[in-house]
Amino acid sequence: MAYNPKDPAVEIMRGYVNDTKGCPLEDMFFVKGKVALVTGGTSGLGFNVALRLLQGGARVVVAGYSEQEAENALGLFEECGFRDSAVYCKVDVRNEDEVENMVRFVDQTYGTLDILVTAAATWNYAHIYDLPDAEFKKVVDVNLSGAFRTVKHVSRYMIDHEIHGKMTLVSSNCAWLPYPVFGGYAHYAASKGGVIALTVEAAKELKRYGIKVNTVAPGGMATAGSMNNLVLSTLPEEKQDELYEEISIPQLDEVKTVDSVARVVYSLCTDLTDSITGECIAADNGMSHNIIVRQPEIEGYPAE
């Protein structure tokens, strides 16, 4: 059958062609001219996300609590050629005044705020029956309430300045997939489950303002924080020894690279994902579905 340029089906597909002309792939893949704020951006996943955003053409404010980590991050950004594109803002996300000042700092530094990534987090190990109330509250205050405070003030800024922004909150697949093998993560899992729920509600409220909100849920990653993360130090020594024995039992057949997760976060900050909001993307390489290359040998289970 001959090609008929006036065929109704052809006319519809011609509309698709015209749509692509207005959205070149290069523009969708990159974040040139955008300004991004990354909490927890001075180390771990947050640092890797900030680096990818810089590589994509954004100017980035990395926010965190440790000035030493900030010095390390900025030094590495400079080594990569981004000395003039990244700045540091000290913030404790548990303090709402500091969070509000952080947003003000971004505006005063770069004049806009287009992208938010919340990667600030803390954690340790303790079984729920040994977990102090204060420790549970601290982890939730940083991981969940800190994300809430940041989304609250960034969304208000974006609404006031009519910015159709992108927000990506970092959660975790531990919200529905308990680990280590024998637990010890109740406070962290609860906080990250809350982040997922917060994402859906924020996406619902902010869609009418053109703001897209999603969350990325990684599995285990080899970050500096994860390698140095310890059992709660206030537990009795025998409890600490028991937990260290338990968390040394292998559960996964691989540990994902930080960059493999950072690339997913980055994509949600681009125009490429304009049709996605309110979603939780499990960037765990199949872990949530028990999709593995092999089952590690499990030896040395603690006695019942």
Side-chain angles (χ1 to χ4, degrees):
M1 184 180 293
Y3 164 66
N4 179 3
K6 296 185 180 295
D7 186 290
V10 172
E11 285 297 319
I12 292 173
M13 290 188 290
R14 185 174 287 114
Y16 303 159
V17 173
N18 291 334
D19 286 343
T20 66
K21 291 178 181 178
C23 300
L25 274 176
E26 182 179 3
D27 292 345
M28 288 193 292
F29 276 112
F30 291 96
V31 287
K32 295 177 182 177
K34 302 290 187 180
V35 171
L37 168 63
V38 183
T39 64
T42 57
S43 65
L45 176 62
F47 168 81
N48 208 146
V49 170
L51 179 59
R52 283 299 189 181
L53 288 166
L54 288 165
Q55 292 172 345
R59 291 169 292 172
V60 179
V61 175
V62 291
Y65 190 71
S66 168
E67 294 185 0
Q68 181 58 61
E69 287 183 354
E71 287 291 329
N72 294 341
L74 292 177
L76 288 168
F77 291 149
E78 185 173 351
E79 286 183 16
C80 296
F82 300 116
R83 183 177 66 174
D84 299 326
S85 302
V87 296
Y88 166 64
C89 178
K90 184 173 183 178
V91 68
D92 182 347
V93 295
R94 296 173 296 180
N95 185 306
E96 185 162 16
D97 289 339
E98 291 190 24
V99 172
E100 190 171 11
N101 288 337
M102 172 182 66
V103 176
R104 189 176 299 114
F105 172 84
V106 178
D107 179 59
Q108 292 172 348
T109 303
Y110 290 129
T112 189
L113 205 178
D114 307 291
I115 295 166
L116 169 66
V117 176
T118 64
T122 186
W123 68 95
N124 48 41
Y125 297 101
H127 286 304
I128 195 166
Y129 41 80
D130 293 320
L131 184 61
D133 184 73
E135 195 65 28
F136 184 94
K137 289 178 179 177
K138 184 187 79 173
V139 171
V140 170
D141 198 15
V142 173
N143 300 356
L144 175 56
S145 300
F148 155 71
R149 296 180 189 102
T150 307
V151 169
K152 171 183 176 179
H153 290 284
V154 171
S155 64
R156 183 175 292 164
Y157 178 89
M158 288 181 173
I159 292 168
D160 290 346
H161 293 81
E162 299 182 347
I163 297 169
H164 292 183
K166 295 288 187 77
M167 298 185 183
T168 305
L169 286 56
V170 177
S171 55
S172 170
N173 69 359
C174 73
W176 62 84
L177 187 67
Y179 56 86
V181 172
F182 292 99
Y185 241 16
H187 45 346
Y188 186 73
S191 69
K192 291 302 187 178
V195 169
I196 296 170
L198 174 66
T199 296
V200 176
E201 179 63 25
K204 178 72 172 179
E205 295 185 14
L206 299 177
K207 183 177 181 179
R208 60 180 168 154
Y209 299 106
I211 301 169
K212 306 295 176 66
V213 189
N214 294 288
T215 182
V216 172
M221 295 180 293
T223 66
S226 65
M227 289 185 290
N228 294 321
N229 196 40
L230 302 174
V231 171
L232 184 62
S233 61
T234 56
L235 293 178
E237 186 175 347
E238 63 273 15
K239 292 282 189 180
Q240 294 187 44
D241 291 343
E242 177 185 340
L243 262 169
Y244 279 123
E245 184 179 357
E246 290 181 5
I247 63 179
S248 68
I249 297 172
Q251 182 179 16
L252 311 176
D253 69 332
E254 66 174 328
V255 176
K256 287 149 289 301
T257 66
V258 176
D259 190 55
S260 69
V261 178
R263 293 196 300 266
V264 177
V265 175
Y266 173 85
S267 69
L268 289 171
C269 299
T270 70
D271 292 345
L272 190 66
T273 53
D274 276 351
S275 63
I276 301 176
T277 193
E279 289 294 334
C280 175
I281 310 297
D284 63 5
N285 205 18
M287 177 183 174
S288 293
H289 299 290
N290 198 31
I291 299 172
I292 58 177
V293 175
R294 61 181 179 83
Q295 174 64 55
E297 293 182 8
I298 299 178
E299 299 177 353
Y301 273 90
E304 293 184 359

